Amino acid sequence: MDAMKAIRALVMVVFIGYLFIWVMAPTNVYRQKWLPSIRAKTSSTYFGAQGSTILIYTFPILFIAALGSVYLHFGKTISGGEKESCSSKKNRLAIWKRPVIIKGLGIVSWIELAFFIMFIALLVWSFSTYLHISFAKITPKSAAKTGEEVWEAKLDSAALRLGLIGNICLAFLFFPVTRGSSVLPLFGLTSEASVKYHIWLGHIVMTLFTAHGVCYTIFWAVTHQSSEMLKWEKTGVSNVAGEVALVAGLVMWATTFPRIRRKMFELFFYTHYLYIIFMLFFVLHVGISYACITLPGFYLFLVDRYLRFLQSRQSVRLLSARILPCETVELNFSKSRELSYTPTSIMFLNVPSISKVQWHPFTVSSSSSLEPEKLSVAIKVEGGWSKKLFQLLSSPNSVDRLDVSVEGPYGPVSTDFLRHDTLVMVSGGSGITPFISIFRELIFMSETLKCKTPRIILVTSFKSSSDLTMLDLLLPNSATASDFSKLELQVEAYVTREKQLATENKMNIQTLWFKPNPSDAPITPILGQNSSLWLGVIICSSFLIFLLFIGILTRFYIYPIDHNTNKIFSYSTRAVLNMLFICICIAITASASFLWNKKDNAMETKQIQNMDGTTPQASPNSWFYNADRELESLPQHSLVQSTNLHFGERPDLKKILFERKESSVGVLVCGPKKMRHEVAKICSSGLAANLHFESISFSW
């Protein structure tokens, strides 16, 4: 624990120093004193001017990422000990984590709002400082020397500064979408919960870069320099590359708005691959030396992306599927005992028989503690891809095996539900999924670890009575009524569009077993049991090899031609070589680490394959089972007895929450936007200080 505190303290010092550099970057003190001094001390025949940029902007973040890997490793070890002792901690930042609803941002905590305001303040400070310094140098005399009016010179200056401010946002853009990040957990964040930051930053980046491009287009038009739009300078800024990057960014940006994304998700999905074109031509536009300012976030994203690629090449062992009448499927995979994950984790799935390129995120519904050799995800029909999957599995001529590849799972480093006296979980429709994993985890903690668990109140809303069968997923196939006898459970299920339970159709849940394939493997940690440490090794070793490569390249190829003047050797060639070396170094180190750990996992994989090779079957030629379980006659009587059904009405959330008088009530909500906002308003009203709100992300 002391080691983790020391690591976080060191990380905070380095990160504050990194932010301080961004604050000082627009000032004359930094540009005329600090930066020239640093360049004089770091400039060499091995790295040139690029060396100082790497030292100031790239090294601190990669150092934090390496420390984060060690922090995560300690965290997994310590969290195991804390779980055994059932310890819980009071949240000192509970007040600052209270929700607030901001138009355009949605539900945010006061902490998030404070950091957002500070970030906007940084952008405003930087832009105003840049303009104040540059405009002070623009006079009628100085503008006349270039044949320009004063306002034209100021427009030119403002256009450049808009691009510089956009680079600040770009430097942070890729951190939230690095799924296996070792940086985000240091700040108590996960990639799934941080996607909103990526969205905010993306909108700001494209607004600034679009303004940057428009201002320059106007400037060139009024000064009769339209030919500048077609210039690709050998040793300067390439305007053509910038225009290509901007167009790619605008196409991506156009598909991110909610209406387009919801109605045409596949269009959004495919156009987002234009980030490759965007980043490639951005580097060609500004040059690799300056691009190192925004490199660290993208570098860590590339490491994560390549590791996900390696994991996705393996087809995993799919054991069975539970098919619910509400057009929902629970897929059950074989996994190694080494793979552990926390409740509310997500996993990305690819089914080649439906689409070879589409990957979709789904919330994990199982608990790695309760089910150490199985991982489950619940999938409800919400779009074309999930509809095809349901039809494939529920058809009379169903398949006897299904090829599936996965990426993940990804989730929070740890969860601490035990700090509350009561957990109120509010869900709407498919939003119940993350609560299934929480419930199963609490079963394990109460029955196996003998922990005192909070009282659970599940308030869930469905459109039709057939959706009530989703409650069956609260328990895994192997569970019995005694599995949660020590849990105090109350389920309030609301069916909003029906007045009574539909009895004309039997609500049967069917189970489909799949034939094993020798080439399939259980889901294992991509980098083994010590995956966090291996991630740190990859980050450090790949970056050191990259420095070695560019050092040799600069010293023995570029320097003899350019002599550190940056006026002879092509910027584009240098940028392409640097990017090529980055990709090669990441590929070498990540592949080596993956293959090393793959050998260690081989023995356990064979053991699991031998164990699950004897899948039960009803008849020699049949792999399809009908569980024949009606909701009203489930053997899990405890679950049925704990459930109150309400028809033709919606839950009175204000009444339900305000009735809780316990000293600490955790309020988790997952569902439609309207429901999340309603719960957030109740918890932030100040009328009940014991309510602690948390919005849960989920994926179908």
Side-chain angles (χ1 to χ4, degrees):
M1 184 64 71
D2 290 338
M4 291 183 69
K5 289 181 179 179
I7 291 174
R8 290 197 71 171
L10 180 57
V11 164
M12 289 301 118
V13 171
V14 175
F15 187 67
I16 290 172
Y18 175 75
L19 293 179
F20 181 69
I21 292 295
W22 281 111
V23 172
M24 294 300 296
T27 65
N28 282 329
V29 174
Y30 175 81
R31 300 170 67 189
Q32 296 179 5
K33 294 182 179 180
W34 293 3
L35 188 57
S37 176
I38 294 173
R39 284 179 174 173
K41 295 176 181 178
T42 58
S43 181
S44 67
T45 58
Y46 290 94
F47 301 108
Q50 185 178 351
S52 59
T53 311
I54 291 176
L55 177 64
I56 297 171
Y57 292 98
T58 306
F59 176 75
I61 294 299
L62 297 187
F63 179 65
I64 288 174
L67 287 177
S69 300
V70 179
Y71 176 86
L72 287 177
H73 178 72
F74 283 142
K76 290 179 181 179
T77 304
I78 294 174
S79 64
E82 288 183 348
K83 182 181 283 189
E84 291 177 4
S85 63
C86 299
S87 64
S88 61
K89 299 175 290 184
K90 295 294 181 182
N91 195 338
R92 297 178 180 178
L93 298 176
I95 296 178
W96 283 93
K97 289 187 176 182
R98 286 192 174 276
V100 57
I101 301 175
I102 304 296
K103 188 175 182 180
L105 299 180
I107 302 173
V108 296
S109 68
W110 285 104
I111 294 178
E112 291 174 325
L113 183 60
F115 276 99
F116 180 79
I117 293 173
M118 286 190 286
F119 186 78
I120 297 299
L122 172 63
L123 300 184
V124 173
W125 152 259
S126 300
F127 187 58
S128 60
T129 305
Y130 275 129
L131 290 186
H132 175 73
I133 294 173
S134 64
F135 282 9
K137 299 176 182 179
I138 298 174
T139 62
K141 186 176 181 180
S142 65
K145 289 182 180 179
T146 56
E148 300 170 357
E149 299 289 339
V150 172
W151 73 269
E152 293 172 346
K154 289 185 177 181
L155 177 63
D156 180 21
S157 178
L160 173 62
R161 273 64 192 183
L162 284 168
L164 297 180
I165 302 307
N167 293 335
I168 300 177
C169 302
L170 187 61
F172 293 92
L173 182 64
F174 287 92
F175 287 111
V177 289
T178 303
R179 296 175 192 162
S181 174
S182 60
V183 175
L184 293 178
L186 289 167
F187 301 92
L189 300 172
T190 64
S191 176
E192 185 69 11
S194 302
V195 168
K196 59 185 176 184
Y197 308 143
H198 176 73
I199 295 172
W200 299 347
L201 288 168
H203 286 311
I204 298 173
V205 163
M206 288 313 304
T207 299
L208 291 171
F209 282 171
T210 301
H212 169 72
V214 169
C215 287
Y216 263 120
T217 302
I218 295 172
F219 171 74
W220 290 329
V222 298
T223 57
H224 309 290
Q225 301 181 67
S226 298
S227 60
E228 288 288 331
M229 297 182 67
L230 303 177
K231 282 191 176 181
W232 190 304
E233 296 287 352
K234 180 181 179 181
T235 58
V237 173
S238 168
N239 296 331
V240 173
E243 291 153 10
V244 173
L246 180 58
V247 170
L250 288 173
V251 174
M252 283 192 291
W253 193 24
T255 62
T256 60
F257 292 94
R259 287 187 179 180
I260 297 176
R261 182 178 178 179
R262 281 196 298 265
K263 294 182 179 180
M264 295 180 286
F265 178 79
E266 292 184 5
L267 177 65
F268 161 80
F269 177 83
Y270 290 123
T271 55
H272 244 59
Y273 280 107
L274 289 173
Y275 79 86
I276 300 172
I277 302 297
F278 176 81
M279 287 303 299
L280 172 63
F281 281 90
F282 168 79
V283 175
L284 293 174
H285 175 56
V286 302
I288 188 63
S289 180
Y290 185 81
C292 285
I293 289 176
T294 60
L295 175 64
F298 189 62
Y299 189 94
L300 295 175
F301 172 79
L302 288 178
V303 171
D304 176 72
R305 186 65 191 86
Y306 186 71
L307 287 173
R308 289 192 279 122
F309 167 78
L310 292 175
Q311 185 186 21
S312 66
R313 296 305 91 195
Q314 174 67 57
S315 182
V316 297
R317 172 76 171 98
L318 178 60
L319 298 173
S320 64
R322 278 205 281 181
I323 304 168
L324 279 61
C326 57
E327 293 191 321
T328 300
V329 175
E330 182 188 54
L331 299 181
N332 301 303
F333 298 91
S334 172
K335 83 169 188 70
S336 69
R337 286 182 170 269
E338 286 185 348
L339 178 63
S340 62
Y341 51 86
T342 51
T344 72
S345 294
I346 65 164
M347 188 168 70
F348 288 76
L349 266 63
N350 170 260
V351 181
S353 59
I354 298 177
S355 173
K356 293 183 179 180
V357 296
Q358 287 189 40
W359 289 82
H360 292 265
F362 298 101
T363 304
V364 177
S365 58
S366 56
S367 164
S368 61
S369 303
L370 184 65
E371 304 153 275
E373 294 182 352
K374 190 180 76 171
L375 185 150
S376 305
V377 296
I379 303 172
K380 185 173 178 61
V381 173
E382 295 285 351
W385 188 92
S386 55
K387 185 175 183 179
K388 290 178 182 178
L389 177 65
F390 183 80
Q391 291 174 342
L392 183 67
L393 297 177
S394 61
S395 64
N397 300 319
S398 183
V399 295
D400 57 10
R401 72 176 310 275
L402 191 66
D403 290 327
V404 181
S405 298
V406 304
E407 291 180 0
Y410 307 101
V413 178
S414 62
T415 54
D416 188 11
F417 303 115
L418 299 183
R419 70 178 184 269
H420 300 296
D421 302 311
T422 300
L423 277 181
V424 179
M425 300 186 289
V426 182
S427 70
S430 55
I432 193 176
T433 318
F435 299 147
I436 296 173
S437 62
I438 294 174
F439 181 74
R440 294 187 186 183
E441 183 73 12
L442 291 175
I443 289 177
F444 172 79
M445 300 180 85
S446 65
E447 294 293 330
T448 305
L449 301 182
K450 310 301 180 184
C451 295
K452 184 181 183 301
T453 55
R455 181 186 182 187
I456 303 171
I457 300 176
L458 174 60
V459 181
T460 182
S461 300
F462 300 113
K463 292 180 180 179
S464 63
S465 54
S466 64
D467 293 330
L468 290 170
T469 52
M470 292 189 67
L471 294 174
D472 186 77
L473 298 180
L474 286 171
L475 297 175
N477 278 326
S478 58
T480 62
S482 62
D483 283 327
F484 67 100
S485 58
K486 295 182 181 179
L487 283 179
E488 191 176 354
L489 173 66
Q490 176 185 343
V491 180
E492 301 294 335
Y494 292 80
V495 180
T496 59
R497 296 187 179 180
E498 294 179 3
K499 297 296 183 181
Q500 60 183 5
L501 183 66
T503 57
E504 62 272 12
N505 296 317
K506 284 189 175 182
M507 298 181 184
N508 294 334
I509 297 175
Q510 300 171 324
T511 302
L512 176 65
W513 295 93
F514 296 101
K515 291 180 179 179
N517 189 312
S519 63
D520 293 344
I523 303 175
T524 57
I526 181 65
L527 295 174
Q529 191 171 10
N530 297 317
S531 57
S532 299
L533 290 180
W534 277 104
L535 177 60
V537 169
I538 293 171
I539 293 171
C540 295
S541 59
S542 62
F543 186 63
L544 290 175
I545 296 173
F546 167 68
L547 291 179
L548 178 64
F549 279 1
I550 64 168
I552 295 173
L553 172 72
T554 305
R555 177 63 183 86
F556 298 103
Y557 181 57
I558 298 177
Y559 180 76
I561 299 173
D562 193 82
H563 298 287
N564 280 351
T565 61
N566 295 318
K567 296 180 179 179
I568 301 174
F569 195 84
S570 169
Y571 275 28
S572 298
T573 304
R574 187 196 294 257
V576 169
L577 290 173
N578 272 260
M579 289 186 288
L580 181 63
F581 284 150
I582 288 174
C583 294
I584 290 173
C585 293
I586 291 174
I588 290 174
T589 54
S591 298
S593 301
F594 171 74
L595 293 173
W596 181 277
N597 285 282
K598 190 175 182 179
K599 292 180 180 179
D600 294 340
N601 292 331
M603 184 63 67
E604 184 180 3
T605 298
K606 290 182 179 179
Q607 292 174 351
I608 294 176
Q609 287 175 336
N610 292 335
M611 290 174 63
D612 62 30
T614 56
T615 305
Q617 56 185 56
S619 62
N621 298 318
S622 174
W623 292 82
F624 188 82
Y625 283 82
N626 188 330
D628 288 326
R629 296 190 310 203
E630 295 185 35
L631 180 67
E632 296 173 300
S633 59
L634 286 172
Q636 298 92 331
H637 293 297
S638 297
L639 179 59
V640 176
Q641 292 172 357
S642 302
T643 303
N644 298 316
L645 299 181
H646 308 268
F647 292 92
E649 61 178 306
R650 298 181 183 276
D652 186 345
L653 296 176
K654 185 176 292 186
K655 178 182 177 183
I656 292 172
L657 293 175
F658 285 161
E659 282 180 349
R660 308 317 316 161
K661 302 303 180 183
E662 296 87 350
S663 61
S664 178
V665 178
V667 182
L668 312 181
V669 59
C670 186
K673 179 180 178 181
K674 185 178 180 181
M675 172 180 283
R676 288 184 281 113
H677 282 209
E678 181 182 357
V679 175
K681 286 181 180 178
I682 296 171
C683 294
S684 61
S685 64
L687 300 177
N690 62 332
L691 299 180
H692 304 283
F693 173 86
E694 184 175 352
S695 180
I696 303 293
S697 301
F698 77 105
S699 300
W700 282 95

